Amino acid sequence: MKNVFAKTLQIVLILLTAGVCSCRKKSDGGKGTIDPPVNSPSQPLKTDIVTWMTSPDQTSLLQKMNLSLIFDNATNSLPTITVDTTQNFQAIDGFGYTLTGGSATLLNSLNDPVKDDLLKELFLSDSNRIGVSYLRISIGASDLSAEPFTYDDIAYGQQDLILSNFSIERERKDMIPILKKIIQLNPNIKILGSPWSAPLWMKDKNSFVGGSLKPEYYAVYANYLVKYIQAMKAEGIIIDAITPQNEPLHGGNNPSMVMQAAEQADFIGKALGPAFRRAGLATKIISYDHNADRPDYPIAVLNNSDANSYVDGSAFHLYGGDISALSQVHDAFPAKNVYFTEQWVGGPGNFGGDLSWHVENLIIGATRNWSKNVLEWNLASDPNYNPHTQGGCNNCLGALTIANSVSRNVAYYIIAHASKFVRPGSIRISSNTVAGLPNVAFKTPAGKKVLIVLNKGTSTQSFNIGFNNKQAVASLAAGAVATFVW
């Protein structure tokens, strides 16, 4: 026992003094490059488990630690997180962000070498890149576009039933060029599209803010969404899935549109699903796309027999409710998928607090409750949280802040702790819950095991990682997050 605790003390000391293999500073002068190793020992320690860590004080930012974590048969009294590859759960589609219109504009404003280096850092998975594998984009404007718009805006009092005015021309300046560059880097990236509003002439209120889709325009709006998917495909951009409406119970955003559960079920079952089928589209339809406090909404949609056959699953945000609601919907319809599609970081933010909450509730919580993906909100903003519409979110902190330099904020590291290691096609596997150490485990397509652990406590916590009847002693500082790979 004495030797075990001596080993634990040694690991704690190593954690406090360990060198860095791939440290990223908060700002790199806009070069989009990765800092070289800092204080790395000349000889890496022998280890069975590779450890990457982010600390709440930002002294470690997705750092590869020079630690020796060896599986052996020694026993001790430490708590044990046991990883079991024989118990499999959902397949993972990916981890990423919402590429808002404003994010695309900011990325496209960078000079070409900086832009190219930054996109490689984000979307490649080799070396020191973070391997973002899933994006959400808005169909038309979101509130983090410079102004509201749809793809068929016409004068008040007019209508365009055959959609002759439909055009995605506004996306050709920034969104489409950035997406094309991303797809060149990662041709398999999954893209989810979500509308914030239908064209105003289809709504019962001539305003981008609020209002509902008139039933007489259900078929036209379904065709509008078909034309969008087809137009993006013509640009080489495959829309893997759509949600019929972003935050359908929130009519106060600019833009926004209210769509009650019965309305969404009717729209999907009688208009959108049949339109997709006629057009031969493989694009998934994902219902809801709003907070976890209303699991009754997606359950009501899935209870509708017409809608059910067209719906792949349900999407959630977490501005209300508890992440366990995702399991409630999964348990009601286990054949349908679950997705987590949005969560913001409010600027200026609290790095340690935001890191802990988001990792616990999203990276760990959402996936332990059956989600196939986890998406943070806006990929990029400027130092003043622009651009955004009038009345849109005025303090949404991007994963990146882009101005004369590029800064990486907390959402960058939240996602990177999963996206870099848990590649698409990974399977969530069993790991037991341990008090004060929320965790989740995966098996990758390459056969690697990935364990993500958060220390929620106020002091350093030592624990065992158990696998195949052996265990390795690890230690994690208060508030820190670690990804363990073997």
Side-chain angles (χ1 to χ4, degrees), residues 6 18 118 134 136 167 196 201 245 266 361 363 371 428 457 462:
L118 183 57
Y134 205 118
R136 183 178 181 225
S167 173
W196 265 239
W201 53 271
Q245 176 60 41
D266 201 35
N361 286 284
I363 301 298
S371 185
R428 181 171 70 89
S462 297

Side-chain angles (χ1 to χ4, degrees), residues 181-361:
K181 286 182 174 290
I182 291 169
I183 291 167
Q184 283 183 327
L185 297 170
N186 182 0
N188 297 317
I189 193 163
K190 289 190 181 296
I191 301 173
L192 166 71
S194 299
W196 265 239
S197 176
L200 304 193
W201 53 271
M202 298 186 191
K203 299 169 70 174
D204 60 7
K205 179 181 179 183
N206 188 48
S207 172
F208 278 108
V209 179
S212 298
L213 181 66
K214 291 183 178 181
E216 57 263 38
Y217 292 115
Y218 280 9
V220 181
Y221 191 44
N223 290 334
Y224 171 95
L225 295 172
V226 168
K227 287 179 73 71
Y228 167 76
I229 293 165
Q230 292 172 333
M232 294 296 273
K233 183 179 181 180
E235 298 292 333
I237 300 165
I238 303 301
I239 304 300
D240 179 71
I242 69 159
T243 61
Q245 176 60 41
N246 170 68
E247 298 191 340
L249 299 178
H250 176 30
N253 203 358
N254 182 21
S256 60
M257 187 170 77
V258 174
M259 184 178 280
Q260 300 294 338
E263 294 173 312
Q264 185 164 114
D266 201 35
F267 174 61
I268 293 171
K270 296 181 179 178
L272 187 61
F276 275 26
R277 180 172 292 175
R278 286 192 299 271
L281 299 182
T283 303
K284 304 178 187 75
I285 299 172
I286 301 173
S287 70
Y288 191 42
D289 208 6
H290 208 170
N291 291 332
D293 59 350
R294 290 293 304 275
D296 60 298
Y297 187 117
I299 288 173
V301 173
L302 291 170
N303 273 330
N304 182 289
S305 58
D306 289 333
N308 182 285
S309 62
Y310 297 112
V311 173
D312 171 84
S314 307
F316 293 86
H317 308 174
L318 196 58
Y319 305 112
D322 188 270
I323 198 66
S324 62
L326 279 63
S327 281
Q328 183 180 339
V329 176
H330 169 269
D331 292 347
F333 292 92
K336 299 297 184 179
N337 292 314
V338 173
Y339 301 87
F340 191 90
T341 50
E342 180 186 319
Q343 193 69 29
W344 80 320
V345 175
N350 176 302
F351 189 97
D354 291 330
L355 177 72
S356 178
W357 190 93
H358 284 244
V359 169
E360 179 181 10
N361 286 284

Side-chain angles (χ1 to χ4, degrees), residues 404-477:
N404 295 324
S405 63
V406 178
S407 300
R408 292 153 185 80
N409 302 317
V410 67
Y412 176 97
Y413 299 102
I414 292 164
I415 290 298
H417 264 279
S419 63
K420 181 174 177 64
F421 312 100
V422 186
R423 303 305 300 155
S426 296
I427 304 293
R428 181 171 70 89
I429 55 179
S430 174
S431 63
N432 59 301
T433 57
V434 173
L437 294 169
N439 66 85
V440 65
F442 306 90
K443 182 173 66 176
T444 73
K448 294 284 189 180
K449 276 66 68 180
V450 179
L451 175 67
I452 302 172
V453 184
L454 165 70
N455 179 3
K456 282 190 67 180
T458 57
S459 61
T460 298
Q461 175 68 58
S462 297
F463 56 95
N464 299 313
I465 299 173
F467 180 68
N468 279 356
N469 299 314
K470 294 186 176 182
Q471 56 192 30
V473 179
S475 190
L476 198 54

Side-chain angles (χ1 to χ4, degrees), residues 166 288 346 400:
F166 179 94
Y288 191 42
L400 306 172

